[in-house]
Amino acid sequence: MSTGSGADSAPAPKSTHNSPPAPRPARKSSMFSSLKVRNYRLFFVGQVVSNIGTWMQRIAQDWLVLSLTGSATAVGVTTALQFLPMLLFGLYGGVLVDRLPKRRTLLFTQTSMGVAGIALALLTLSGHVQVWHVYLAAFAVGLATVVDNPARQSFVSEMVGPDQLQNAVSLNSANFQSARLVGPAVAGLMITGVGTGWAFLFNGLSFVAPIAGLLLMRARDLHVVERAPRGKGQLREGLHYVAGRPDLIWTIVLVGFIGTFGFNFPVYLSAFADDVFHAGAGSYSAFNTLMAVGSLVGALLAARRGTAKMRVMIGAAAAFGALELVAATAPSLWLFALLMVPIGMFGMTINVTANTSIQMGTDPAMRGRVMALYMMVFLGGSPVGAPIAGWITDAYGVRAGLAVGGAIAATAAVVIGLVLARVGGLRLSVGWNGGHPHVRFVPRERREELTAVA
C-alpha cells in the first residue's frame, strides 16, 4: 500500500476531515536514514535499552509465577491480565492520545511502567512477593500500555515527518526484534545467577533511558499536529472514520485474521518441538530464535524500502500463509527450523507495511484512535486465536493446526487483495510479455487497451 491514497492503494471516500498530504514520489532511502533525525535518534537509543528490559521482565515474570504456583494456568492468567486492558479500553486510549500532547503522555506512561517494575523488584528481592502482586503489576503495565502504545506509534510521525515514517517504523520493529534476541538470553543468565528480582530491577531502571531521551528532545524540531478538542462522540467518530475508509478497514481486517489465526506460534512451536520432533526445550528455543532472526531481517528490508505499498503487504501475507502450509508438512526438524526464518521475515513485512500505510493514510487528528484500533485488533487476536489453535492441535494434531492457520492467512490475503483492488479501480491482468506470463493489477480503463495489444 502506498503512503497515502494513490495508485497503489484504494482511494478513500471524501471525509469531513482534512485529507492526508499527497505522497511524494517513491524513492529508496538508506537503511538507517531516520536515525539522522536527532529526536528520533534519542528515542531509538532509549527504546533499545527499554525493550531489552521488557523482554527480561517477560521471561522473569513467567518464571516467578511458575515458581510460586507450579501452575501453567497461572502463567496464562498473568499474560491475559497484561493484555486485557487493551481489549477493554484500547479505543478509549486512542481518544486520549488524540487529545493529549504525545511527548508528555509518553513521559507519564513510561514512568508508570518503570515504577511497576521497580515495585515488583523490591517485593521479590525482599522475599515478600506473592502471586497476586505479579497479577497486579501485569495489569498495571497493561493499563499503561492502553495509552502508551498508540501514543508511541503516533509520536514516530511527529519525530521524523512523513518522508522518513516508513524507515522509522521499520527500525522500531528491528529494535524490538533485536531486544527479543538479547533480552531472554540475559534474563536466563540473571535468573540462574542472582534471581528474578534483579531482572525486574533492570527492567524498572531501563525506563530511565527512554525518559531521558524524551526530556532531551528539541520541541522545535517536532512535526506537531493539532490535537483533537475535548468533545462527545469522539470514539464513535473514530470508528465512523475507519468505516468510511476501505484502505484502512481492510488492512486492519487482514492484520486481524493473520494475528488471530497465523501468529499462534507459542502453541505451534512448542508442540512441534515436543510432540512431532521429540527434541525438547532446546529446539523450541532455536525455533523462536530463528524466527526472531527472520523478523529482524524483514524489519531491516522494510527500512530499506521507500514506501509502504498494498501489493507488498498482500504478497507478504500470501507468502506467509503459504510458508505455514509448507512448514506444517515439513518431514524433518532442520527443514522446519529453516522455514522459521522466511516465516518471521514475511510476518514482520506484513506488520511494518500495515502499520506504516495506516499511519500515512490517516488524518493526523484521528491517528491516535485509528492506531489504537489497529493495535487492539493486532494484540487482541492472539488471546482469541490461541485457544482455537490449541483446540485444533489437541483434537487433530499440531500439523493440522498450523495448516489451518496458514490456509486462513493465505485465503484472507487473496480475498482482501481482490477487494482492495476492486475498490481502487484495478483489475487483474494476465498476459504474455517477452514470452513470459505477466500477472499484475492495472486500472480498469486500461483493460481494453491491454486486451487489444495482446
Side-chain angles (χ1 to χ4, degrees):
M1 189 172 293
S2 69
T3 53
S5 13
D8 291 307
S9 63
K14 291 183 179 179
S15 169
T16 57
H17 296 277
N18 295 328
S19 299
R24 291 172 172 78
R27 60 181 179 83
K28 284 194 175 183
S29 58
S30 66
M31 191 172 288
F32 304 100
S33 58
S34 56
L35 290 177
K36 297 175 183 177
V37 180
R38 179 182 181 275
N39 284 345
Y40 179 71
R41 190 163 61 247
L42 290 168
F43 176 85
F44 184 88
V45 172
Q47 290 300 307
V48 168
V49 179
S50 179
N51 283 335
I52 291 174
T54 297
W55 278 106
M56 289 176 65
Q57 171 132 341
R58 286 188 182 185
I59 300 300
Q61 180 177 274
D62 291 348
W63 187 262
L64 177 60
V65 171
L66 194 61
S67 301
L68 291 173
T69 64
S71 169
T73 301
V75 176
V77 170
T78 309
T79 303
L81 285 171
Q82 194 156 327
F83 285 103
L84 183 62
M86 179 62 74
L87 291 173
L88 296 178
F89 312 118
L91 292 176
Y92 295 99
V95 172
L96 288 175
V97 167
D98 282 335
R99 291 178 182 174
L100 300 172
K102 294 178 181 59
R103 185 161 68 134
R104 294 181 189 174
T105 302
L106 286 171
L107 283 169
F108 175 77
T109 56
Q110 295 283 296
T111 301
S112 301
M113 289 190 280
V115 169
I118 291 174
L120 192 56
L122 294 176
L123 286 167
T124 306
L125 291 172
S126 65
H128 294 96
V129 70
Q130 298 180 36
V131 70
W132 70 267
H133 294 143
V134 186
Y135 289 165
L136 183 61
F139 188 75
V141 170
L143 282 175
T145 303
V146 167
V147 177
D148 182 82
N149 225 316
R152 211 158 14 90
Q153 300 286 334
S154 304
F155 189 53
V156 173
S157 63
E158 294 193 10
M159 287 184 286
V160 302
D163 290 343
Q164 297 288 349
L165 182 59
Q166 160 89 3
N167 184 264
V169 170
S170 303
L171 289 182
N172 280 353
S173 300
N175 187 329
F176 189 74
Q177 294 303 323
S178 300
R180 182 181 174 186
L181 293 173
V182 176
V186 176
L189 293 174
M190 190 170 285
I191 291 169
T192 303
V194 292
T196 55
W198 293 99
F200 295 139
L201 184 61
F202 180 94
N203 177 58
L205 295 176
S206 73
F207 284 96
V208 172
I211 291 169
L214 290 166
L215 292 173
L216 290 171
M217 287 182 184
R218 294 172 183 161
R220 65 180 180 273
D221 293 340
L222 294 173
H223 302 257
V224 180
V225 300
E226 184 179 353
R227 301 199 301 271
R230 183 183 297 272
K232 293 182 178 180
Q234 289 181 325
L235 176 58
R236 184 171 60 253
E237 183 185 21
L239 294 173
H240 180 73
Y241 176 83
V242 173
R245 292 286 304 277
D247 55 329
L248 299 182
I249 193 168
W250 285 110
T251 299
I252 292 173
V253 168
L254 176 61
V255 169
F257 268 107
I258 292 176
T260 301
F261 299 103
F263 271 89
N264 296 302
F265 294 111
V267 176
Y268 300 140
L269 299 187
S270 58
F272 264 97
D274 190 37
D275 300 335
V276 177
F277 299 120
H278 310 289
S283 293
Y284 175 59
S285 176
F287 295 157
N288 281 283
T289 300
L290 288 169
M291 184 171 290
V293 170
S295 298
L296 179 58
V297 171
L300 292 175
L301 289 176
R304 182 71 175 173
R305 287 190 294 270
T307 56
K309 297 181 181 294
M310 179 185 76
R311 61 175 177 265
V312 173
M313 180 182 67
I314 298 298
F320 175 83
L323 284 167
E324 285 198 334
L325 286 169
V326 174
T329 62
S332 67
L333 184 148
W334 292 110
L335 177 58
F336 182 84
L338 289 174
L339 285 169
M340 294 301 102
V341 177
I343 286 174
M345 184 180 72
F346 283 113
M348 182 54 62
T349 301
I350 299 165
N351 294 342
V352 171
T353 309
N355 187 311
T356 308
S357 62
I358 287 175
Q359 289 207 52
M360 291 298 294
T362 301
D363 187 326
M366 303 292 294
R367 192 169 285 149
R369 279 164 281 184
V370 175
M371 290 308 298
L373 177 61
Y374 169 79
M375 295 307 300
M376 188 178 74
V377 170
F378 178 65
L379 295 177
S382 291
V384 174
I388 299 174
W391 175 79
I392 296 174
T393 297
D394 289 339
Y396 303 102
V398 65
R399 290 189 184 275
L402 182 58
V404 168
I408 291 175
T411 302
V414 172
V415 171
I416 292 173
L418 293 173
V419 169
L420 283 172
R422 183 174 181 80
V423 170
L426 305 175
R427 288 186 181 275
L428 186 66
S429 171
V430 181
W432 290 86
N433 185 9
H436 300 285
H438 192 66
V439 181
R440 64 175 179 170
F441 285 104
V442 298
R444 292 180 186 177
E445 59 268 19
R446 292 187 57 196
R447 191 184 185 192
E448 293 181 2
E449 298 176 16
L450 291 170
T451 302
V453 171

